[in-house]
Amino acid sequence: MSSFSEFYETWFDHLNQLAQQLSTAPKPPTNEEQHKHLDDLVIQTMTHYAEYYRVKSESVERDVFNIFTAPWASTLERSLHWITGWRPTTVFHLVYTESSIMFESNIVDILRGLKTGDLGDLSPSQFRQESE
């Protein structure tokens, strides 16, 4: 798949098909065949969700900001993210906080001019641009 959004579209369509099959399955199953069919549907659904999290995890490695902004989510889902306190800018706050902690823990090395391989190696103007 070229993007998680494209994967999600097909994944969600298949989820709807599985949900439809589950909702029409006899509950409780009255014979062994119905019981096996229901078990198979549950296994397919669990496998389907496992695939979702596997692909999502791989997608995070390629483009974490795309996963955090969730462009595939519906308008309602995105508004619920905001209502519950999740904002895409939260990612920037997390990165900034983590970088500050790393910066503070290496301040002595930075003052000595040692390269740390992180934000401590940025010049003041580069750091300002990053902050903006």
Side-chain angles (χ1 to χ4, degrees), residues 17-77:
Q17 292 170 2
L18 288 169
Q20 178 64 33
Q21 291 175 25
L22 282 167
S23 68
T24 59
K27 293 170 217 67
T30 56
N31 60 43
E32 188 60 34
E33 183 181 326
Q34 290 176 348
H35 187 71
K36 179 167 179 8
H37 178 66
L38 188 57
D39 281 349
D40 289 344
L41 285 173
V42 169
I43 289 169
Q44 286 177 37
T45 304
M46 297 298 291
T47 303
H48 191 61
Y49 270 98
E51 176 74 357
Y52 168 81
Y53 287 108
R54 184 190 65 75
V55 172
K56 189 173 185 179
S57 176
E58 290 172 0
S59 297
V60 165
E61 297 294 323
R62 287 190 307 274
D63 187 1
V64 69
F65 293 110
N66 184 51
I67 298 300
F68 279 129
T69 57
W72 60 86
S74 70
T75 304
L76 174 63
E77 290 169 318

Side-chain angles (χ1 to χ4, degrees), residues 4-5 7-9 20 22 41 46 49 51 53 58 63 68-69 73 79 98 100 110-111 115 121:
F4 186 78
S5 295
F7 164 80
Y8 183 81
E9 283 183 38
Q20 178 64 33
L22 282 167
L41 285 173
M46 297 298 291
Y49 270 98
E51 176 74 357
Y53 287 108
E58 290 172 0
D63 187 1
F68 279 129
T69 57
S79 66
E98 182 63 25
S100 295
I110 293 167
L111 292 173
K115 299 290 182 189
D121 293 340

Side-chain angles (χ1 to χ4, degrees), residues 83-100:
I83 290 168
T84 60
W86 173 253
R87 315 278 188 289
T89 55
T90 303
V91 174
F92 295 109
H93 295 291
L94 291 171
V95 169
Y96 189 78
T97 300
E98 182 63 25
S99 347
S100 295

